[in-house]
């Protein structure tokens, strides 16, 4: 199985076991990165101009195609693990930064899920677009973290993701820590973690440094939780509406999921949501969504599906057609 590599430090309390004395690794396939990018990719893919021109659902659906294509084109796999495709070296500097930035967020999503049991990690800018986040206290600094997420027990977490094609991670990690540290409270309580996640993408492998620095800012955040959940799962519903696709119900082991097919020139994927989560989101029964997250922490499926499907704690499923 292909892998990505990481070290972690400065975690405390229930997460102090994440701290490493040597490099560790995590299984990661392109399918996992496709799944991560669909929910956590940069909302700049979804422009106001596109929304006005095509409508929200069609614009969001188009952004999903772009996110998936970014992973397909720029990531390759070898016996040493996942790595950048050589095509990356042909890009102009601005495009390299955009690719690295988005891949960095996808990797952060996987670490949040696999190491910290954070089911849903969402971009702050996405929450701003739907008026789901309020900064009730500021300290005059404009910098803020990229991502916020919530575990099934109600704890909020902050993530700042940096991606770079440079081997040296010191500068990227330092900047990530500065942004993560800006948040003091979410709903009046200190976030459980403030993770700075800096990832180096090279043609040899993918390496990440994670740290949980102490808060040094004065930003206090309140989040509309119903809008948070709706926005998190919006990509699936947008894809369904914009492609005029009828939902297909499929079953793997004991998992039943609703899905639509995403077809591009060089890649055909099935994107789905666990049927239970699909119905709970439509009913706006968010407390039971958290119960679902709790049950799926350590979900495992028959190994015959290992190379065909990626399943997240959030109920999202990405599968090769």
């Amino acid at each position: 199985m292909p892998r990505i590599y990481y070290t972690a430090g400065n975690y405390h309390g229930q997460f102090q076991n994440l701290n490493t004395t040597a490099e560790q690794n995590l299984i990661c396939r392109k399918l996992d990165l496709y799944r991560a990018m669909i929910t956590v990719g940069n909302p700049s893919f979804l422009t106001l101009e596109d929304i006005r021109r095509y409508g929200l659902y069609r614009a969001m659906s188009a952004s999903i195609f772009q996110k998936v294509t970014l992973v397909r084109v720029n990531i390759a796999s070898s016996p040493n693990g996942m790595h950048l495709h050589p095509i990356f070296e042909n890009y102009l500097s601005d495009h390299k930064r955009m690719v690295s930035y988005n891949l960095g967020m996808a990797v952060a999503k996987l670490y949040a899920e696999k190491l910290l049991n954070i089911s849903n990690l969402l971009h702050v800018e996405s929450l701003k677009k739907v008026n789901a986040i309020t900064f009730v206290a500021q300290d005059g600094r404009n910098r803020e973290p990229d991502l916020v997420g919530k575990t099934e027990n109600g704890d909020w977490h902050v993530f700042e993701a940096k991606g770079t094609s440079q081997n040296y991670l010191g500068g990227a990690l330092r900047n990530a820590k500065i942004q993560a540290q800006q948040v003091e409270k979410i709903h009046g309580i200190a976030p459980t973690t403030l993770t700075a996640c800096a990832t180096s993408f090279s043609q040899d492998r993918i390496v990440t440094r994670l740290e949980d620095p102490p808060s040094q800012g004065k930003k206090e955040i309140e989040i509309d939780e119903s809008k948070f959940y709706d926005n998190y799962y919006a990509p699936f519903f947008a894809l369904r509406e914009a492609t005029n696709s009828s939902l297909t119900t499929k079953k793997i082991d004991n998992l039943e999921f609703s899905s639509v097919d995403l077809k591009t020139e060089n890649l055909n994927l099935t994107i789905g949501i666990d049927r239970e989560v699909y119905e709970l989101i439509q009913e706006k029964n968010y407390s039971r969504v958290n119960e679902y997250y709790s049950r799926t922490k350590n979900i495992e499926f028959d190994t015959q599906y290992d190379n065909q499907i990626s399943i997240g704690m959030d109920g999202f499923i990405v599968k090769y057609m």
Side-chain angles (χ1 to χ4, degrees):
M1 283 285 193
R3 297 174 185 273
I4 54 178
Y5 299 86
Y6 73 94
T7 57
N10 207 39
Y11 284 93
H12 302 89
Q14 62 181 305
F15 295 110
Q16 64 182 348
N17 63 309
L18 296 182
N19 297 324
T20 60
T21 56
E23 191 175 82
Q24 304 295 310
N25 63 75
L26 188 72
I27 291 174
C28 175
R29 305 155 302 161
K30 289 184 80 168
L31 270 176
D32 300 317
L33 291 174
Y34 291 143
R35 178 173 58 80
M37 276 291 285
I38 287 169
T39 56
V40 84
N42 187 351
S44 66
F45 282 118
L46 184 64
T47 67
L48 290 175
E49 180 181 353
D50 285 345
I51 292 172
R52 285 193 293 266
R53 182 178 300 175
Y54 306 115
L56 176 60
Y57 279 134
R58 288 196 178 278
M60 186 175 287
S61 178
S63 76
I64 293 171
F65 278 84
Q66 293 178 60
K67 293 174 184 179
V68 167
T69 298
L70 186 145
V71 173
R72 181 187 65 78
V73 170
N74 293 287
I75 294 294
S77 179
S78 73
N80 291 329
M82 304 294 285
H83 60 89
L84 271 182
H85 191 282
I87 195 173
F88 182 86
E89 294 304 320
N90 297 324
Y91 298 153
L92 297 175
S93 296
D94 285 350
H95 192 63
K96 284 183 177 180
R97 282 192 290 270
M98 183 277 289
V99 171
S100 297
Y101 173 68
N102 281 280
L103 291 176
M105 284 194 293
V107 168
K109 160 70 176 176
L110 294 181
Y111 282 121
E113 180 182 271
K114 301 297 184 182
L115 300 184
L116 285 84
N117 291 321
I118 301 171
S119 303
N120 45 30
L121 200 64
L122 194 56
H123 207 290
V124 168
E125 291 300 319
S126 293
L127 295 173
K128 288 181 178 178
K129 286 177 183 289
V130 295
N131 297 316
I133 189 167
T134 303
F135 288 87
V136 295
Q138 300 276 13
D139 60 1
R141 299 182 184 180
N142 293 324
R143 304 187 77 178
E144 59 195 32
D146 284 333
L147 307 160
V148 291
K150 186 182 178 187
T151 50
E152 86 287 347
N153 62 359
D155 290 345
W156 286 95
H157 297 254
V158 168
F159 253 77
E160 171 58 30
K162 299 291 184 186
T164 178
S165 57
Q166 304 298 315
N167 290 327
Y168 176 66
L169 280 173
L173 181 64
R174 181 168 56 253
N175 289 334
K177 288 164 67 173
I178 290 172
Q179 286 181 251
Q181 288 175 304
Q182 298 309 305
V183 178
E184 181 183 25
K185 296 177 181 178
I186 300 179
H187 293 296
I189 300 172
T192 303
T193 60
L194 297 170
T195 295
C197 178
T199 301
S200 170
F201 297 91
S202 73
Q203 291 187 37
D204 295 321
R205 58 185 195 150
I206 298 172
V207 181
T208 300
R209 174 66 183 173
L210 301 113
E211 285 195 20
D212 178 19
S215 174
Q216 294 182 355
K218 296 296 181 183
K219 292 184 185 294
E220 296 186 24
I221 297 173
E222 290 184 356
I223 297 171
D224 184 315
E225 294 190 40
S226 63
K227 290 182 179 179
F228 178 87
Y229 284 107
D230 287 343
N231 195 248
Y232 185 81
Y233 288 99
F236 177 77
F237 292 96
L239 190 62
R240 182 198 65 183
E241 294 292 332
T243 58
N244 295 315
S245 299
S246 57
L247 287 179
T248 301
T249 300
K250 299 180 181 179
K251 192 169 184 179
I252 293 181
D253 289 348
N254 294 319
L255 174 66
E256 186 174 301
F257 59 97
S258 299
S259 65
V260 294
D261 293 335
L262 180 67
K263 297 181 180 180
T264 67
E265 183 178 350
N266 297 298
L267 180 67
N268 295 325
L269 295 175
T270 294
I271 298 175
I273 297 181
D274 186 303
R275 187 71 189 175
E276 180 182 353
V277 175
Y278 176 81
E279 293 175 353
L280 291 173
I281 293 299
Q282 288 196 311
E283 297 167 0
K284 300 192 180 298
N285 193 339
Y286 306 117
S287 62
R288 289 193 56 197
V289 173
N290 283 329
E291 293 175 13
Y292 173 90
Y293 292 163
S294 181
R295 296 200 311 271
T296 56
K297 276 185 180 180
N298 300 306
I299 192 168
E300 293 184 3
F301 292 87
D302 194 300
T303 54
Q304 67 176 305
Y305 302 116
D306 281 350
N307 294 320
Q308 302 174 35
I309 189 168
S310 175
I311 304 171
M313 289 174 56
D314 53 9
F316 264 101
I317 296 148
V318 177
K319 179 180 178 295
Y320 288 125
M321 291 175 59

